[in-house]
Amino acid sequence: MIIYLNGEFVPEAQARVSVFDRGFLFGDGIYEVIPVFGGHPLRLTEHLERLERSLAEVRIDNPHDRTGWKGLFMTLLEKNPGGDRSLYVQVTRGVARRDHAFPSGVRPTVFAMVNPIAPPNPAVLEQGVAAVVIADHRWSRCDIKAITLLPNVLARQEALDSGATEAILIRQGLATEGAASNLFAVGDGVIVTPPKDRSLLPGITRDLVLELAQDAGLPVMESAIPEQSLRAAEEIWLTSSTREILPVTRLDGRPVGAGVPGPVWRRLHGLYQDYKARLREGV
């Protein structure tokens, strides 16, 4: 793999980052993940807007303008040819002696790489996945795509230890999102997702799913999802850049709806696949 690090494209084995980098010492940085289909990044402008917002919220200077980011990403894709891929970019505050206060006169560390996106597992599309409900112990600024992800890591591992794929997080009686995904529920035929606020990440795939549903004339609502409503939902989905729209068919060991991916999910899954096909064709 060829990666980008601080202005250079180098083989991954040659990449080096200082132990004094604040990303290593404090988790002081942000990241972004952008899926790429047929060489075309999905909603690149929206991903760059989120990247810019995260940098501004943690007060790290943006190392590139949008033209610079786009050029960097396209060069990296050219150096790592393949099928469907995802771009991962991480920006930390930079290298400085360990002190909690912001250092002065340091340059951000910029790292980017490309990873393959595995095609959807047919068994998952037919059977769905299991999820568990756990308390949301994360900080209060989940709207920032920060690299400080230990609570998310612990939540995901708790799910895996329980034989599930993902954890759905509950804060003050409300379902917020998954450990690494946004949340949708279907009740009385209405698609519901929590509104964007500081308790969850503003997902690009989330927004695309909302747009596709609205364009298809499906009833959609951005509203809080109480835990009891989640447990009574007809369908539950999880969305992310690399997992697309994942149907949850078992919650805490109990079936969701009929225990198989539901009809509303199947409609949205098809619409999403059509959108990807158009993107691959450059439409």
Side-chain angles (χ1 to χ4, degrees):
M1 184 195 302
I2 300 298
I3 68 165
Y4 175 91
L5 181 62
N6 292 335
E8 296 184 316
F9 294 92
V10 298
E12 59 179 306
Q14 297 179 17
R16 299 290 184 272
V17 178
S18 170
V19 295
F20 292 105
D21 191 280
R22 287 177 64 93
F24 176 73
L25 294 174
F26 294 111
D28 185 0
I30 63 91
Y31 74 104
E32 189 60 52
V33 181
I34 307 166
V36 180
F37 301 107
H40 301 283
L42 184 147
R43 303 224 152 178
L44 180 57
T45 297
E46 289 84 350
H47 281 281
L48 288 176
E49 288 173 350
R50 188 170 65 178
L51 175 66
E52 292 163 357
R53 180 181 178 276
S54 292
L55 287 169
E57 289 293 328
V58 300
R59 296 163 60 185
I60 294 177
D61 292 336
N62 193 336
H64 298 288
D65 60 18
R66 291 190 185 180
T67 299
W69 281 120
K70 291 176 182 178
L72 187 163
F73 294 154
M74 297 315 293
T75 301
L76 190 60
L77 289 169
E78 290 170 1
K79 291 180 179 293
N80 294 276
D84 292 345
R85 292 160 287 168
S86 67
L87 287 161
Y88 176 91
V89 59
Q90 177 171 304
V91 184
T92 75
R93 200 172 304 277
V95 177
R97 290 291 171 176
R98 191 180 187 280
D99 184 4
H100 285 67
F102 293 170
S104 60
V106 300
R107 296 176 57 188
T109 297
V110 183
F111 161 64
M113 65 178 175
V114 174
N115 289 308
I117 296 179
N121 185 334
V124 168
L125 300 182
E126 289 299 318
Q127 302 168 15
V129 299
V132 294
V133 172
I134 68 173
D136 190 347
H137 294 303
R138 301 171 301 165
W139 71 324
S140 62
R141 292 304 310 275
C142 296
D143 56 309
I144 300 171
K145 202 166 177 66
I147 62 174
T148 320
L149 290 173
L150 183 57
N152 304 68
V153 169
L154 294 174
R156 171 62 68 79
Q157 190 59 47
E158 186 171 339
L160 295 176
D161 291 343
S162 301
T165 296
E166 179 65 300
I168 297 176
L169 308 176
I170 303 293
R171 181 177 298 194
Q172 297 179 341
L174 301 176
T176 54
E177 58 184 347
S181 55
N182 287 115
L183 173 67
F184 286 80
V186 178
D188 296 325
V190 179
I191 302 167
V192 183
T193 191
K196 290 188 282 190
D197 59 22
R198 291 187 172 189
S199 70
L200 57 87
L201 183 71
I204 308 302
T205 303
R206 168 200 181 275
D207 291 349
L208 175 56
V209 168
L210 282 176
E211 181 182 310
L212 293 173
Q214 291 166 344
D215 290 347
L218 299 173
V220 174
M221 180 186 303
E222 292 186 78
S223 179
I225 302 177
E227 181 177 353
Q228 60 268 29
S229 297
L230 178 73
R231 295 187 181 280
E234 299 160 8
E235 300 183 29
I236 298 173
W237 320 330
L238 299 167
T239 63
S240 72
S241 292
T242 55
R243 293 193 173 191
E244 301 181 358
I245 313 172
L246 200 59
V248 175
T249 53
R250 297 173 300 284
L251 187 66
D252 284 345
R254 297 182 178 180
V256 176
V260 295
V264 186
W265 172 82
R266 292 191 182 280
R267 179 78 184 282
L268 260 297
H269 173 72
L271 292 172
Y272 190 88
Q273 299 310 309
D274 291 344
Y275 183 91
K276 283 169 51 183
R278 294 193 298 271
L279 183 65
R280 287 191 179 100
E281 295 168 0
V283 178

